[in-house]
Amino acid sequence: MRNVFDQYRHHENRLTHALVSSLAADPALLRSFVEWALDERITATRAKGFTIVEQRLPGHAEVAEDEAVTKGLPDAWLYDEEGWSLVIESKISSSVNIDQLIRHIRVATQRGYPHPKLLLLTTSKGSVQLPRNSFHKTWPEVYQWAFRHCDTSEWARILVDFMEIAEGRMTADEYLIDGTLTMFSGIGFDDKNPYTYLEAKRVLKLIMEELRKDKTLAASLGADLKAAGRSAITGSEGTLVWDFIPLKSAADARKFTEHPHLTFCIAHDSAVVQLTVPNGVAAGLRNALLAGGFDAFKDTLIKLAKANDRVLKMEPKAQPYVAVLQRHFPIRHASVTDAQVEFDPRTVRGAGGKGNSRSVIKPRDEWAQAAYGSLVAKRGANLELGVGFRFAYRNCISVRKREFVNVIAEVWQAQRAILMAMKLI
């Protein structure tokens, strides 16, 4: 076994080494892994007899990393003295080679293991026809398995931490293009774990993949879950990172800025979820939202505020908002905000307790009137309308949980009133 701090050069080998090192250091974790991966009961006594090696055959000396690739050696090999054997093959960016898997099984048989098993680890599952006695798990499933053991195993926690770091590095290096290594388990930024751009980008990818599985967004809002979001999220630093899901009605749009879209942003202090109505939307869509005068616009906001109540039940400390921004772009992709009207949509009807309670939100039409007036009297200005919620990391517990994806989806569902007013659904 390599020392846990003696890392390989290649991403795939580093990841496999982290898994193998964790299993070798914690026999109980190793036993749990085998039982989970193979759906096979293993006694504690039997598990103590397991030996695990990397990129070499049982009884052989370790070879150089590049030589192991040339010889086609398995990534890891788990065995005991009674003839039980499990060969592990890991894939991230490279494709699965069935002949390679068959060769691993044949070599194991030739070396005295009559019924070897093979475990294939990949970023995602496809329609691969595996050899007999083969098992297939994904790295996100490994992450989820390890995450469940973090409270009882220090090595499981170390593995989880490493997988998150490795995923960020692979994403930054554009090595991990398809699939993921981990699963969304919450946004972990707080005072002790400050925001980093690379971690935000990693988590954003996981969240968007989860949201694109939510078919209710397609059925209720007309979200195009199969369409791509941002073409590229580059860079290695910044105070926020964001992506979006377009609507099916935007299929003919040349650019996403010509149509409303569902936006999610991870900023340095909060997560932001909104329906974005960009400056470049067709005049007909904007006019539909404003048709009927201020009273109709106010009615739409009242419906929005009522729908927002479902979000506030899930996260009481979230902050709903309606914002109209006027901006200009002295440099491409770098905007300057010239003016902003922002208010809580609950101000159109009032909310909270009675009397002089501090929890009362008193009704004030002036804020909605200011937003409405800005949109009506556009006069060539670059105006964007954003309607959604902010979830401050310091206040909102829900952002740190896997179920936060459900909260995001509920925020978007609350925007039905806006989309209906624009005749999009």
Side-chain angles (χ1 to χ4, degrees), residues 121-389:
L121 299 175
T122 60
T123 56
S124 60
K125 287 185 177 179
S127 57
V128 180
Q129 187 65 39
L130 297 178
R132 188 167 174 267
N133 288 332
S134 295
F135 301 82
H136 191 183
K137 295 290 185 180
T138 66
W139 281 110
E141 288 174 335
V142 173
Y143 174 85
Q144 189 178 41
W145 163 81
F147 194 87
R148 292 197 299 266
H149 291 272
C150 284
D151 291 339
T152 57
S153 171
E154 177 69 10
W155 282 98
R157 186 190 62 77
I158 292 173
L159 175 60
V160 164
D161 289 345
F162 178 81
M163 290 184 71
E164 293 174 353
I165 294 171
E167 185 172 55
R169 289 174 178 171
M170 292 183 198
T171 300
D173 294 344
E174 296 186 357
Y175 184 82
L176 185 62
I177 299 176
D178 297 321
T180 64
L181 297 184
T182 67
M183 301 179 72
F184 176 66
S185 55
I187 302 175
F189 299 137
D190 54 29
D191 293 340
K192 294 182 179 179
N193 301 284
Y195 170 95
T196 67
Y197 184 84
L198 291 181
E199 173 65 6
K201 187 161 64 170
R202 182 190 75 83
V203 174
L204 176 69
K205 181 179 180 181
L206 297 174
I207 291 177
M208 297 307 292
E209 289 209 0
E210 290 290 330
L211 290 167
R212 288 190 173 97
K213 299 175 185 176
D214 190 341
K215 295 182 180 179
T216 60
L217 293 174
S220 180
L221 304 179
D224 192 345
L225 303 180
K226 295 182 179 180
R230 292 181 65 188
S231 57
I233 303 176
T234 57
S236 59
E237 58 183 24
T239 58
L240 61 85
V241 60
W242 62 276
D243 203 351
F244 71 95
I245 295 178
L247 304 179
K248 293 178 181 178
S249 53
D252 295 331
R254 294 171 300 172
K255 298 181 294 184
F256 76 93
T257 52
E258 295 179 351
H259 208 83
H261 48 270
L262 308 175
T263 306
F264 178 70
C265 169
I266 300 180
H268 70 284
D269 59 350
S270 60
V272 182
V273 191
Q274 72 173 34
L275 169 69
T276 303
V277 182
N279 176 70
V281 296
L285 295 178
R286 188 186 301 272
N287 292 339
L289 178 62
L290 304 175
F294 173 71
D295 288 341
F297 183 72
K298 179 181 176 180
D299 286 343
T300 297
L301 294 183
I302 290 175
K303 293 176 182 177
L304 169 71
K306 289 180 178 179
N308 282 348
D309 288 343
R310 296 194 299 269
V311 178
L312 292 168
K313 287 182 179 179
M314 301 170 79
E315 178 48 80
K317 294 186 178 181
Q319 180 59 52
Y321 67 87
V322 176
V324 180
L325 279 72
Q326 177 180 322
R327 301 181 295 174
H328 72 278
F329 294 78
I331 302 174
R332 187 181 182 186
H333 302 311
S335 66
V336 175
T337 298
D338 305 316
Q340 180 173 342
V341 177
E342 181 173 325
F343 60 96
D344 188 321
R346 289 174 291 184
T347 57
V348 297
R349 60 166 181 157
K354 298 180 179 180
N356 295 320
S357 171
R358 293 182 179 180
S359 64
V360 170
I361 298 177
K362 295 182 179 180
R364 298 279 295 186
D365 283 357
E366 291 85 349
W367 308 117
Q369 288 174 346
Y372 178 79
S374 299
L375 293 170
V376 170
K378 188 173 183 292
R379 297 174 185 169
N382 188 314
L383 294 184
E384 176 181 289
L385 172 65
V387 186
F389 275 82

Side-chain angles (χ1 to χ4, degrees), residues 1-25 52-55 62 65 75-76 88 90 92 121 139 155 158-159 162-163:
M1 278 296 302
R2 284 175 178 250
N3 183 278
V4 68
F5 302 111
D6 181 15
Q7 294 294 332
Y8 289 86
R9 288 184 292 109
H10 301 301
H11 284 301
E12 287 183 352
N13 294 338
R14 287 176 180 175
L15 183 59
T16 306
H17 178 58
L19 172 62
V20 169
S21 296
S22 300
L23 298 179
I52 187 167
V53 296
E54 295 177 79
Q55 294 194 340
E62 185 176 334
E65 184 175 357
D75 291 309
I88 301 176
S90 169
I92 297 178
L121 299 175
W139 281 110
W155 282 98
I158 292 173
L159 175 60
F162 178 81
M163 290 184 71

Side-chain angles (χ1 to χ4, degrees), residues 54-79:
E54 295 177 79
Q55 294 194 340
R56 64 184 173 96
L57 303 178
H60 284 216
E62 185 176 334
V63 299
E65 184 175 357
D66 291 336
E67 184 180 351
V69 175
T70 302
K71 291 184 176 181
L73 296 176
D75 291 309
W77 198 323
L78 182 63
Y79 61 94

